[in-house]
Amino acid sequence: PFQPRSSSGNHSATPSGAGLSASRPPFSLEEDSAPQGRRRGIIIHKLLELMSPPDPRPNPKIEDFLAYGINQDQLATWQPEAVGVLRAKELRFLFDPAHYLTAYNEIPIAYTTNDNQLIYGIIDRVVLLENAVWIIDYKTQTGIGESALPEFIRYYEPQLNYYAEGARKLWPGRSIHTALLLTSNARLLPVPTF
């Protein structure tokens, strides 16, 4: 999530929808807002964070996750989804250290825009290649149909554009790529940036 703020510190958008379209999207956000959906999303994010490089725990044990409030049933239920993402051949360039220079999980980003708006966010995964940077935002929603994907991507474009703008400040001279990663089917959805 990210929070654009004005220089006075006032929110210019709400944290849950900051920069996102105010109109109702043609896909359900109810799954993410329901307690079980939120919990599922938090746990899958944490599993991906803990199991992926730079500091992976490839064969996690329940003890590795207890400190994060993840119990054995939750681990058994949602670990296969995280493992599916990490093992997907088409995603190797994001999760296999042989394919990139370095990677970061849950990286905070904060900067001020040219119009004096403070931007703060936590990026799920940043992958640095020799001449490029990939910014990945995990999405744990399920059941998003093909026809809803273009609007789903547009809905998150403002957020990823804020992230891309910050990445350009951190890594000038590298091309910036942003994408949503649907964890339910290990599908990468590139998001255009401007």
Side-chain angles (χ1 to χ4, degrees), residues 91-142:
L91 300 177
R92 281 187 187 154
F93 77 104
L94 298 174
F95 295 103
D96 181 348
H99 295 273
Y100 56 77
L101 298 176
T102 192
Y104 304 96
N105 293 314
E106 299 296 319
I107 184 171
I109 188 167
Y111 66 93
T112 303
T113 64
N114 292 337
D115 60 354
N116 214 25
Q117 186 178 36
L118 176 63
I119 303 296
Y120 171 78
I122 306 285
I123 302 173
D124 293 333
R125 186 154 176 89
V126 175
V127 177
L128 273 63
L129 306 173
E130 190 170 324
N131 296 311
V133 177
W134 277 85
I135 296 169
I136 306 302
D137 192 43
Y138 303 140
K139 295 299 173 197
T140 58
Q141 292 99 327
T142 59

Side-chain angles (χ1 to χ4, degrees), residues 37-166:
R38 272 195 313 274
R39 185 75 181 141
R40 177 182 174 278
I42 289 167
I43 290 171
I44 290 171
H45 274 73
K46 184 54 73 175
L47 287 167
L48 287 167
E49 177 188 354
L50 295 174
M51 294 172 61
S52 62
D55 301 311
R57 298 178 194 178
N59 298 307
K61 296 175 178 47
I62 186 62
E63 295 79 23
D64 294 332
F65 298 99
L66 290 175
Y68 300 102
I70 301 172
N71 67 42
Q72 193 156 0
D73 289 339
Q74 293 166 331
L75 184 63
T77 301
W78 294 314
Q79 184 179 1
E81 186 167 325
V83 169
V85 167
L86 297 173
R87 290 186 179 164
K89 289 180 183 179
E90 59 277 4
L91 300 177
R92 281 187 187 154
F93 77 104
L94 298 174
F95 295 103
D96 181 348
H99 295 273
Y100 56 77
L101 298 176
T102 192
Y104 304 96
N105 293 314
E106 299 296 319
I107 184 171
I109 188 167
Y111 66 93
T112 303
T113 64
N114 292 337
D115 60 354
N116 214 25
Q117 186 178 36
L118 176 63
I119 303 296
Y120 171 78
I122 306 285
I123 302 173
D124 293 333
R125 186 154 176 89
V126 175
V127 177
L128 273 63
L129 306 173
E130 190 170 324
N131 296 311
V133 177
W134 277 85
I135 296 169
I136 306 302
D137 192 43
Y138 303 140
K139 295 299 173 197
T140 58
Q141 292 99 327
T142 59
I144 299 169
E146 279 299 312
S147 64
L149 287 178
E151 185 62 24
F152 184 77
I153 291 167
R154 274 192 300 277
Y155 186 77
Y156 290 102
E157 262 180 24
Q159 176 184 350
L160 279 116
N161 274 285
Y162 279 123
Y163 291 166
E165 185 178 346

